[in-house]
Amino acid sequence: MPALNRALARPLRTFVWLGVCLGVLLAAGLVAMLVNDGQRRQEAAQRQSSALATGAQRLLRLELRNLERAMQGISRDGALLFQRVPAQAPDLLDAGIAGTLQRHAELHSIVVVDQYGRALTSGSGDLQLPLWAVDDNRGRGSQLFLGPPQALDSAHWILPLALPMGGDRWLLARLRTSELQSVIGGMDTGEAGVISITDPQGYVLARSPDPVGVVGRRFGLGKRELLRRDALTPLGTETSAVDGIERISSLSTLAQYPLAVYAGLGRRDVLAAWWPYVQASVGVYLLYWALFGAVYVSLRRATRDQDSLSEELRTGHAELRMAHQVGKVCTWYVDEDACLLRWSPLAREIFGIDIESLPLADFFARVHHDDTARMQQAFDAAFAGSGVLDEMFRLVLPGGAIRWVSARGQRVAVVDRERRMIGALTDVSERVDALARVQQAERQFRLLFDRNPAPFWVFDPDTLRFLEVNEAAVRQYGYSRDEFLSMSILDIRPREGWEEIRGAIAQARIGDVQDAQVRLHQRKDGSVFEVRAHLARLDFDGRQACLVLAEDVSERLAYERDLAYHATHNPATGLLNTRALAAQLDEEGGAYTIAYVQFRGLQLVSDTLGREVGDVVLQAMAKRLGGLGVRYGLLAFQPAEDFIFAIRDDHQRQTALDTLVQTVSEPVRGQDWLHQFEPRIGVAVKFDGDASTAEQVIGMAAQAAHAARDEGNVIAWYDTTVSSRFAERLRLAGRIHSAIDTEFELYYQPICHAGDSSPAALEALLRWPQADGSFIPPGEFIQLCEDTGLILALGRWVIRAAAQAQRQLVDAGWDLPIAVNVSAVQFFNSDLVAEFTRASQEFGLARGALQVELTESSLMRKPGQAKQTMQRLHEQGICISLDDFGTGYSNMSYLQHLPLDILKIDRSFVADVETNPRNASICRALLSLGHSMGLTIIAEGVETPGQHQWLAAHGCDQVQGYLLGRPMPLAKVIAQLDAVEA
């Protein structure tokens, strides 16, 4: 009984220690998981607060930047008015300010004040202006000063903004804080979250939610040293100085304006979903110990029951063995002296030994040497009474043959307490050999079947029930092995596939095995996947069966389908690509109409406002046009900005095109933006019997779309003239590259002093002569050069040719500067200063020998870059002339800031200047404006003596036109100059 208790106690003790260790590990794992989850939630809240602060900061910067620009415009106008008409300036400014206030409802008032804050225009001033218009209240790179908030009434506040105007005058604007409130309003911060805008002194300017009672108040807010820099500072968990609530927050500041955007999410809200998780973990831990106790009690009871059953089995086994001994089946015995082994005649017959007894030592000598020690030990133990002899060993017969023998024996008491060992011997050689062969075959089968990574099973073709499955099938389908063996193959197929599998089994019975078929299978959880089934017939346990290898091909087929989809569709829009559309149209045949829609500006939206807005615009336009594609035909997308619409029905062609024009003309609206595009649509028709391919028809429609853009029309139909015109452009583009050094020429038109018509300068004009004596107009090849990029090489050639001509002029005794027209593409996309410097050094030109002529429209594309380039040109002694003045963006602002030397009045104002009062007024104004700024004025297009006389009389410096000389080669110009001098 003590031995039994020890046997019971040992596994139970191991189980208890293992359970306690697992409990400790479970507790540690749950604690680590809870801590990690809490940290993750707080980190996510930190990122969300940073995103809210960043978004509000961007909107705030945009709002203040727009207000600053509006105030700068008023400031410039006001400064000019106070300079020219100081008496009328306040009244004139009041009218302009009233218009600005109507456009900017967020402004309460705009007033011009003096340096002490006293109003100079209508409205009230601010005598506190000198106190808050200091550098601490102004951001970097901005002239806008922000004052402390001021109360309009108990519920409304305003923020004073001041901008210096010069001359000890300031422009004072008052911004309603409700506008700042609208910037942060509507953002999702949760129940305890908040977003606020504060100034350097800690005043709250806006707060969402619940701004009432907080806006306008000053709090002891930290991190004020971060203001006036572009920064996003995560603050972590902190307690708000405003309402005392603990929040996970971030602070975003602006370099341009001394304001801070605070965004915080309530820590209680962030962790609200975490506490149930904690409670569930505690419940799981308690449940573990409850289950552990239940399993311990059950295991203790089962161990006792198992030991009792084992004892009963041992007793029954001894009784059975004794029954074999009583039956005298191949028996043997050894007496107490343990010296002689005796056996029955049956044993002698089985083992080929004719003697009735054998010394025990001789017997062990006949046992195979690998089994001798084991048999000797087992025999001694059994003879000593410590157990039962039950061994299988190899016996070497006299002829050297080996037999497998099963020996059973036990010590028994005989008369006079004499000890005797009795037992039975059985020749099991054949059984051992057969078992070895079976085990080897089974081991090989199991190795191939069970360890195969592919799912295998065997089923009965008559009942369709599973006979065997491997571990891979168990993992693949989610059923246990026992569940599999209680099911049929129909249970792993969707119901709609049952008839098909029955037909396949019927075909397999007659020898027609449908191998490697792709079918749908169903897992235990109901999910469906694709399987390629490989089927073979075999004998299994003596009956016909089918072996199936189930290869999961879901991912591969899905990948192939995905590849096929991406080969025919555009991933950004989900629409067909051009090649797939062409292939489908060619396959269907028949007549159809192609509408090629060009949207210029979609890519600019992405580059300007971000890829996210660009994708939204693109998806919105694709969704609109996708509906037309479903109604009338097919739709494809040609990255990055073109859609191709195929209309199948000729009878609905015009209706579809009208709907298309209406659809693409509507603006695309977003939450805070609106985009209006100018589409151009090219239309080409394929008729029945036409041999053109779809790609050719699409190309025709694309050419028509380009023609529509060139002509300024919304829609254009393809015809042969469109094709010939584009072919001519391509041919011309191919000629330009080789013509730059061989065919192009420079003609020169004189520019004369208005007073005495003496030569003042020459303007270089590009000409392309042809073999027949005609010229290709510059309007036909200049734009083409800009489109192809050849304008850069052509511009370099013009500069060098003009420099060479100026050298020839000087050598001929005429030191006249030559003005060179520069394209906007060349001006902004090449090192213009280096090209002029290089040409001047090559031909030894003096400073001022070359001039540059630019147009207003080219300068206004990038005013900042234009100003820098012009200043560098001035440093090299190159004068700059503004061509066609008065027809573009003429205003005092850029004339004041750009380093100009010459203004050229456009020929449209010079025409009929002596008889047309309107043109005369414009010319007088332009002359007065230019002279007031110290610029030389040149009038273009002078063709009559009357125009010349009028311009000379009104102070024009220089004139140019057919009256004074037409463009001509340099040799003729020099000859004409020499003739006039003579």
Side-chain angles (χ1 to χ4, degrees), residues 556-693:
R556 188 177 72 192
L557 294 181
Y559 179 71
E560 291 174 356
R561 286 191 289 267
D562 188 60
L563 286 179
Y565 177 84
H566 282 82
T568 57
H569 289 75
N570 176 260
T573 61
L575 300 176
L576 291 172
N577 57 34
T578 307
R579 181 176 298 177
L581 175 65
Q584 187 168 346
L585 290 174
D586 287 337
E587 181 180 355
E588 294 176 355
Y592 52 83
T593 302
I594 297 294
Y596 197 100
V597 184
Q598 290 185 342
F599 287 98
R600 292 297 178 262
L602 281 176
Q603 187 64 39
L604 181 61
V605 172
S606 296
D607 296 340
T608 305
L609 301 180
R611 182 175 297 277
E612 182 178 352
V613 175
D615 291 343
V616 170
V617 174
L618 178 60
Q619 293 293 341
M621 193 59 68
K623 183 177 181 181
R624 286 186 187 176
L625 297 178
L628 295 182
V630 172
R631 289 170 57 188
Y632 298 107
L634 298 171
L635 184 68
F637 179 68
Q638 174 68 37
E641 301 179 314
D642 300 337
F643 290 86
I644 305 169
F645 182 27
I647 306 169
R648 288 192 175 112
D649 192 346
D650 291 346
H651 299 291
Q652 292 185 329
R653 178 192 303 156
Q654 193 57 47
T655 302
L657 290 176
D658 292 341
T659 308
L660 174 64
V661 172
Q662 181 180 358
T663 300
V664 300
S665 299
E666 294 179 1
V668 179
R669 300 179 182 273
Q671 182 176 1
D672 54 356
W673 45 262
L674 181 144
H675 295 289
Q676 177 73 56
F677 298 101
E678 294 184 3
R680 295 295 181 263
I681 304 173
V683 182
V685 180
K686 180 183 182 299
F687 299 98
D688 282 330
D690 189 351
S692 300
T693 65

Side-chain angles (χ1 to χ4, degrees), residues 361 363-379 393-394:
F363 171 79
F364 281 113
R366 293 175 181 266
V367 175
H368 194 279
H369 62 84
D370 289 338
D371 301 333
T372 302
R374 174 171 54 83
M375 279 298 299
Q376 183 71 59
Q377 183 179 3
F379 179 85
F393 61 95
R394 286 163 289 181

Side-chain angles (χ1 to χ4, degrees), residues 332-359:
W332 59 268
Y333 70 92
V334 177
D335 288 330
E336 186 175 12
D337 56 3
C339 293
L340 196 63
L341 173 67
R342 295 179 174 86
W343 47 47
S344 64
L346 180 60
R348 296 197 301 269
E349 183 178 333
I350 292 175
F351 298 112
I353 302 175
D354 294 330
I355 57 178
E356 295 181 355
S357 63
L358 186 70

Side-chain angles (χ1 to χ4, degrees), residues 388-406:
V388 177
L389 174 64
D390 186 3
E391 294 291 334
M392 182 178 291
F393 61 95
R394 286 163 289 181
L395 190 66
V396 182
L397 301 183
I402 296 177
R403 286 186 177 268
W404 279 93
V405 178
S406 175

